[in-house]
Amino acid sequence: MAQTEKKGGLLWKSSASKKPLKEKVVLMYDEIFTTEDPSKCNPRFWEELFLMKVNLEYLEGKLEALDGEELMKIKDNINCLFQHCIQALGEEHPIRVVNALQTLCALIRGVHQKNKSTSGFDIINMLVGFDKAELCMKVRFWQLCVRGNFKTCVSIQVTDNISQNTILEYVMINSIFEAILQILSSPLSRREHGYDAVVLLALLVNYRKYESVNPYIVKLSIVDDEATLNVMTLVPYLTLKLHSYSFLFRQYKDKEEEHQTGFFSALTNMVGSMFIADADEKISVQTNEAILLALYEAVHLNRNFITVLAQSHPEMGLMTAPTSPIPTTPVTPLGTTPPSSDVISSAELPLDADVQTSNLLITFLKYSSIVMQDTKDEHRLHSGKLCLIILTCIAEDQYANAFLHDDNMNFRVNLHRMPMRHRKKAADKNLPCRPLVCAVLDLMVEFIVTHMMKEFPMDLYVRCIQIVHKLLCYQKKCRVRLHYTWRELWSALINLLKFLMSNETVLLAKHNIFTLALMVVNLFNMFITYGDTFLPTPSSYDELYYEIIRMHQNFDNLYSMVLRLSTNAGQWKEPASKVTHALVNIRAIINHFNPKIESYAAVNHISQLSEDQVLEVVRSNYDTLTLKLQDGLDQYERYSEQHKEAAFFKELVRSISINVRKNLAFNTLSQELLLKEFSTIS
């Protein structure tokens, strides 16, 4: 008997005649691509079509072979195919659902390729027909969203640049926002499709957001129901939590292996590490730009969302580590990798100090401390920048500052600290309970200390200093006396100035370092001018002066550098001059107290004064110190996305969109995998 083999939708007999036979589904495709109604001779045509395994290669080839005019001739049949795909997606039969989904995705992609230059309504007319659009799309989109079939809805993203996807015009007019919220409100559908729902919402919010009124921006900005806001936090909370725990688990396993190694192995590692820079010793974390974007949009657009950031999620229970570490280089594209539903297992990890009182803000701060440690990779640089932008929005908000500084809302936040040779690892077991603003400041200090490198992330440093400044402005305005280890911040800022001066030539070739230097100097001016209104005790103010005097050489060197450049007719004259003027009070403090300290040492025959002795001199000579009042220290320019960040967000959304499309490449998935994916559809 002759055997049969399959090639491109044709069945070839291995007999002498080798006459090709077409699969039945291919024959049915051929009928669709004629001007005749395929159901005229076979009333069960559409019902039978979706029971057969899709031949994507043949279907997409047929669409590609047609030009625009030929496609218009079979418009009625294309409309029928689209309509029956949508109807099949709403049915219970899983095979029909999967086949309809693959067919629909191929059809949308194919028609869109033929209509790239036309308006969105022309594409909708080709797919659905204007007369059926309202009934077919509006009702079905709603039903599919409610059923949780978000893969279908996200599949309408057929371009890398979401704002060029004119199909979305219809989704702008006929909103599915309420359906997305309904998905997030149901525990079952949220578990299965919450991630897709949040990503879809983030993409819809960014559709032509700078060019026209986007209804999803409007709707997201006015959500005020506390229950709805709470469920909106759950997907970002769990996603960032799981990424953080996968990273900590890898560290924990590495530490276990380190303890189990022998003497020679340990010696080899020690010797080898001498030739490796600190920056290369980091363990990377898998980023998720899509979830960060969704979190940003919620925080930026809806002030009410900020009210639920610090609300705990007791229903989550104790989190544990994944059974196996997630690879450093993810197998799926960075930026859109959803958390696996089985990444939480019974494997034990030493519990974090904050695990029993966790909330989205704590989780976000911990995740940020991990992501921001490595900014060399483009995705992690974008993620780090997005984390700082989110914190900028939070630092500007009055209500957010109120709960950040609330003494009655204390938490233990175990931030990740980058391993560095010159400092000991901090003990995590006895973390104090403090207001959340302390964790934000800790995160900023950690970033300042750990990123002084050749590839200097100037933009991130500027954002970091701005966040600290905005928090200080709130403290000054509301006279909040925060019990914080301010010396760590002062020391980090002085070391940053020292780094800028030490690398002047290299950095000036790429950056205007005087902008950053001015911001750092003005932070000190803020403490000098208004510190008595927000530093916790008078001794804290004394310690500020002590640090300035102790590290006076750095300020003297900075003054010499900016004076040299401000007196030359070069490109840095003006920005250097601003730093020169800003240093007036710091230099007044140094010039006032240094002679008195030297005199005290000489009179008392002391070669080197202790800290207490210096502080005694400082306290005794405040009255004769003259400082200049500097205006505008407690003022700042508010964050504006459209004017300054539009290019960044356009590129970010494009990157996320590309990765979403890769993850939703249905044509690369087998029918069996899709059946498993949709086995939860109710």
Side-chain angles (χ1 to χ4, degrees):
M1 183 179 290
Q3 292 185 346
T4 305
E5 58 179 321
K6 179 179 175 182
K7 290 183 180 179
L10 301 178
L11 298 177
W12 289 83
K13 285 188 176 182
S14 58
S15 62
S17 63
K18 290 191 176 181
K19 185 177 180 180
L21 299 174
K22 289 187 177 181
E23 295 176 72
K24 184 173 180 181
V25 71
V26 169
L27 291 171
M28 298 183 81
Y29 289 157
D30 288 343
E31 290 187 58
I32 295 172
F33 283 84
T34 65
T35 56
E36 298 293 327
D37 181 0
S39 63
K40 184 180 294 185
C41 298
N42 180 7
R44 294 174 55 84
F45 178 88
W46 299 110
E47 183 179 343
E48 294 174 1
L49 177 65
F50 297 116
L51 290 173
M52 298 180 188
K53 188 173 182 179
V54 178
N55 189 324
L56 282 172
E57 181 183 358
Y58 189 83
L59 179 58
E60 291 181 348
K62 290 287 287 185
L63 285 166
E64 187 177 350
L66 297 178
D67 59 29
E69 292 183 5
E70 291 172 327
L71 196 62
M72 281 299 297
K73 291 178 181 178
I74 60 168
K75 174 181 169 297
D76 290 342
N77 284 354
I78 295 294
N79 289 172
C80 285
L81 176 59
F82 185 91
Q83 182 180 358
H84 283 91
C85 283
I86 295 293
Q87 289 176 352
L89 287 171
E91 295 182 9
E92 301 296 329
H93 199 302
I95 291 179
R96 289 175 60 81
V97 171
V98 168
N99 289 335
L101 174 60
Q102 288 187 306
T103 304
L104 181 63
C105 291
L107 184 61
I108 292 176
R109 282 195 301 267
V111 171
H112 184 269
Q113 290 298 316
K114 300 297 179 185
N115 292 269
K116 277 187 174 180
S117 61
T118 61
S119 71
F121 285 98
D122 288 334
I123 297 173
I124 291 174
N125 186 36
M126 178 62 68
L127 288 172
V128 192
F130 286 132
D131 55 334
K132 301 174 185 175
E134 195 72 19
L135 175 64
C136 186
M137 291 189 72
K138 183 176 181 180
V139 175
R140 281 301 177 184
F141 259 124
W142 178 273
Q143 289 178 344
L144 291 170
C145 290
V146 172
R147 288 168 58 85
N149 196 341
F150 263 89
K151 291 287 190 290
T152 307
C153 298
V154 182
S155 70
I156 62 177
Q157 175 50 19
V158 292
T159 59
D160 293 344
N161 184 343
I162 190 171
S163 293
Q164 292 178 353
N165 183 358
T166 50
I167 298 176
L168 291 180
E169 284 293 339
Y170 194 88
V171 187
M172 292 295 115
I173 296 172
N174 298 281
S175 174
I176 58 171
F177 182 81
E178 290 74 14
I180 293 174
L181 294 188
Q182 190 170 340
I183 286 292
L184 296 177
S185 299
S186 166
L188 179 61
S189 61
R190 183 171 63 243
R191 186 181 72 240
E192 298 296 337
H193 307 290
Y195 181 86
D196 290 327
V198 169
V199 172
L200 175 61
L201 179 58
L203 291 174
L204 290 174
V205 165
N206 280 276
Y207 177 74
R208 295 185 177 176
K209 66 191 303 185
Y210 307 120
E211 304 162 25
S212 58
V213 177
N214 182 316
Y216 293 88
I217 292 178
V218 176
K219 288 176 179 288
L220 180 58
S221 66
I222 61 175
V223 174
D224 58 1
D225 177 66
E226 186 174 346
T228 302
L229 292 169
N230 268 318
V231 299
M232 288 173 66
T233 69
L234 290 177
V235 173
Y237 169 79
L238 281 176
T239 304
L240 301 183
K241 193 82 172 175
L242 293 176
H243 282 312
S244 299
Y245 268 81
S246 67
F247 170 82
L248 295 174
F249 177 74
R250 288 201 305 275
Q251 280 200 323
Y252 176 60
K253 295 299 288 183
D254 290 345
K255 199 173 296 182
E256 272 190 339
E257 292 171 5
E258 181 183 322
H259 289 315
Q260 293 168 2
T261 55
F263 170 76
F264 289 106
S265 177
L267 180 62
T268 303
N269 290 336
M270 182 183 72
V271 175
S273 67
M274 294 178 184
F275 304 97
I276 302 174
D278 286 338
D280 297 327
E281 294 177 356
K282 306 160 191 167
I283 302 173
S284 296
V285 65
Q286 194 169 3
T287 61
N288 198 306
E289 294 164 355
I291 287 296
L292 284 178
L293 177 65
L295 178 59
Y296 162 75
E297 296 294 357
V299 169
H300 178 230
L301 295 174
N302 193 325
R303 187 171 182 267
N304 297 313
F305 188 80
I306 290 178
T307 66
V308 298
L309 284 178
Q311 291 192 15
S312 60
H313 296 293
E315 70 277 13
M316 293 300 113
L318 295 180
M319 304 286 289
T320 53
T323 53
S324 60
I326 295 176
T328 299
T329 304
V331 293
T332 48
L334 285 168
T336 57
T337 310
S340 171
S341 60
D342 59 355
V343 292
I344 303 177
S345 73
S346 59
E348 291 189 0
L349 183 71
L351 289 178
D352 287 340
D354 68 324
V355 73
Q356 307 230 20
T357 55
S358 192
N359 55 50
L360 178 54
L361 185 53
I362 290 175
T363 301
F364 169 69
L365 290 174
K366 290 180 62 177
Y367 178 81
S368 298
S369 72
I370 297 170
V371 168
M372 286 164 54
Q373 69 172 288
D374 182 6
T375 58
K376 290 187 176 181
D377 173 86
E378 182 182 5
H379 286 284
R380 294 182 179 90
L381 179 63
H382 286 171
S383 290
K385 181 174 180 177
L386 196 47
C387 287
L388 288 173
I389 291 176
I390 293 170
L391 284 172
T392 299
C393 295
I394 292 173
E396 287 185 3
D397 186 83
Q398 186 81 1
Y399 183 86
N401 269 301
F403 72 70
L404 283 176
H405 292 83
D406 191 344
D407 272 334
N408 298 315
M409 294 178 64
N410 294 327
F411 299 89
R412 292 187 179 93
V413 184
N414 183 12
L415 298 177
H416 174 73
R417 286 167 61 87
M418 188 185 298
M420 299 181 76
R421 294 192 185 98
H422 65 273
R423 69 177 182 183
K424 295 180 180 179
K425 187 179 186 304
D428 298 334
K429 293 182 179 178
N430 299 314
L431 288 170
C433 278
R434 303 176 299 171
L436 281 172
V437 68
C438 294
V440 178
L441 289 170
D442 284 347
L443 181 61
M444 299 301 100
V445 169
E446 179 67 16
F447 181 86
I448 293 171
V449 169
T450 56
H451 287 77
M452 300 179 205
M453 58 185 76
K454 185 187 296 184
E455 296 298 325
F456 188 68
M458 173 65 78
D459 179 60
L460 300 191
Y461 265 97
V462 169
R463 294 176 191 278
C464 183
I465 301 301
Q466 286 175 336
I467 291 169
V468 175
H469 179 232
K470 288 169 182 178
L471 294 174
L472 292 181
C473 289
Y474 175 82
Q475 293 168 23
K476 180 260 177 182
K477 176 183 176 182
C478 298
R479 295 183 174 268
V480 176
R481 297 191 180 275
L482 182 68
H483 288 272
Y484 181 71
T485 51
W486 291 110
R487 272 192 171 184
E488 291 185 5
L489 174 62
W490 299 332
S491 176
L493 293 173
I494 292 171
N495 284 329
L496 175 57
L497 290 176
K498 185 177 179 181
F499 174 83
L500 295 178
M501 290 182 287
S502 301
N503 297 273
E504 173 192 347
T505 304
V506 175
L507 293 177
L508 275 178
K510 299 179 181 179
H511 310 290
N512 177 4
I513 62 174
F514 302 107
T515 299
L516 182 59
L518 179 63
M519 295 171 67
V520 172
V521 170
N522 278 337
L523 278 187
F524 279 102
N525 286 330
M526 185 87 173
F527 281 105
I528 293 167
T529 307
Y530 302 115
D532 60 327
T533 66
F534 62 81
L535 287 173
T537 61
S539 62
S540 300
Y541 195 74
D542 301 336
E543 289 169 1
L544 167 67
Y545 277 62
Y546 174 79
E547 286 299 314
I548 292 174
I549 295 165
R550 186 175 71 88
M551 304 297 289
H552 72 89
Q553 193 62 54
N554 291 292
F555 292 107
D556 291 342
N557 293 342
L558 176 63
Y559 181 75
S560 298
M561 182 184 80
V562 295
L563 185 63
R564 167 171 49 86
L565 290 168
S566 63
T567 54
N568 295 333
Q571 68 177 113
W572 305 118
K573 180 176 181 177
E574 184 178 347
S577 297
K578 291 180 180 179
V579 181
T580 305
H581 296 311
L583 283 166
V584 60
N585 280 343
I586 293 176
R587 296 191 69 246
I589 291 170
I590 294 169
N591 294 333
H592 176 74
F593 285 105
N594 268 351
K596 298 185 184 305
I597 291 170
E598 292 170 2
S599 175
Y600 180 92
V603 169
N604 293 279
H605 306 289
I606 304 172
S607 60
Q608 188 171 358
L609 272 63
S610 67
E611 179 177 337
D612 289 338
Q613 290 169 328
V614 173
L615 287 172
E616 182 184 340
V617 175
V618 169
R619 294 188 186 104
S620 303
N621 291 277
Y622 274 134
D623 293 344
T624 54
L625 174 65
T626 302
L627 298 175
K628 290 186 177 180
L629 183 63
Q630 295 176 309
D631 295 327
L633 293 175
D634 58 344
Q635 304 295 319
Y636 58 82
E637 182 181 357
R638 293 188 64 85
Y639 169 78
S640 173
E641 177 188 322
Q642 185 167 356
H643 294 108
K644 293 190 175 181
E645 310 294 347
F648 167 71
F649 278 101
K650 284 179 180 178
E651 184 57 36
L652 180 68
V653 172
R654 181 185 181 87
S655 173
I656 292 172
S657 179
I658 289 172
N659 288 333
V660 165
R661 293 177 65 210
K662 287 180 181 177
N663 288 338
L664 289 173
F666 291 108
N667 57 325
T668 65
L669 297 178
S670 67
Q671 187 184 66
E672 290 74 17
L673 287 174
L674 282 173
L675 283 171
K676 183 179 179 181
E677 173 78 15
F678 286 91
S679 63
T680 58
I681 295 178
S682 58

